[in-house]
Amino acid sequence: MTSNGPSEANLTQSRHIPLSQDAALVVALAGTAMPFAHSAEDEAERWLRALRLHGQVGATLQALGVGEAPLMTEDEPSEGAGTPPLGADVLDDVTRRAGDFAAGREAQTVGTADLLMAVFD
């Protein structure tokens, strides 16, 4: 079967979708927090802390009563608790995946909802 144009996968890969201002702020905040994460769960918590305060996701979570307090109840993680952190690439992985979600909905920018879906993913 021949194709007259590039595949959808190639279009997605070749198209760079910029971050919205809110999403850029969330990525910057998460980026400063990731090196201090003790587990993958802690990394997710750090993404959520930034997301709860900014953009469409922040407004929705605040309207639902999700405040700024940490979602995890432990002050210090116990030795060996949780899944090992995903590491330095997690920021790029989540941002890239968010771009895929934005491309899938043909958005002009990556929003905080795209970041949230990428964190879930």
Side-chain angles (χ1 to χ4, degrees):
M1 177 194 254
T2 61
S3 174
N4 292 336
S7 71
E8 185 175 331
N10 289 339
L11 284 174
T12 301
Q13 290 174 356
S14 65
R15 182 177 171 213
H16 171 73
I17 301 174
L19 297 171
S20 68
Q21 288 181 348
D22 289 327
L25 183 56
V26 168
V27 169
L29 291 170
T32 61
M34 285 305 134
F36 304 101
H38 301 287
S39 66
E41 293 82 4
D42 192 25
E43 288 172 338
E45 170 74 25
R46 290 165 191 270
W47 276 106
L48 289 175
R49 275 190 216 150
L51 283 163
R52 286 185 291 194
L53 299 176
H54 303 285
Q56 183 182 25
V57 170
T60 301
L61 291 175
Q62 289 175 27
L64 291 171
V66 178
E68 294 181 43
L71 297 175
M72 296 173 67
T73 57
E74 294 182 19
D75 289 335
E76 286 293 320
S78 59
E79 195 67 32
T83 308
L86 300 175
D89 294 334
V90 71
L91 192 70
D92 290 335
D93 292 343
V94 168
T95 305
R96 184 179 59 253
R97 186 70 181 128
D100 292 343
F101 282 114
R105 60 184 184 85
E106 299 180 4
Q108 296 298 311
T109 59
V110 174
T112 56
D114 300 309
L115 287 173
L116 180 62
M117 294 306 296
V119 170
F120 286 160
D121 193 43

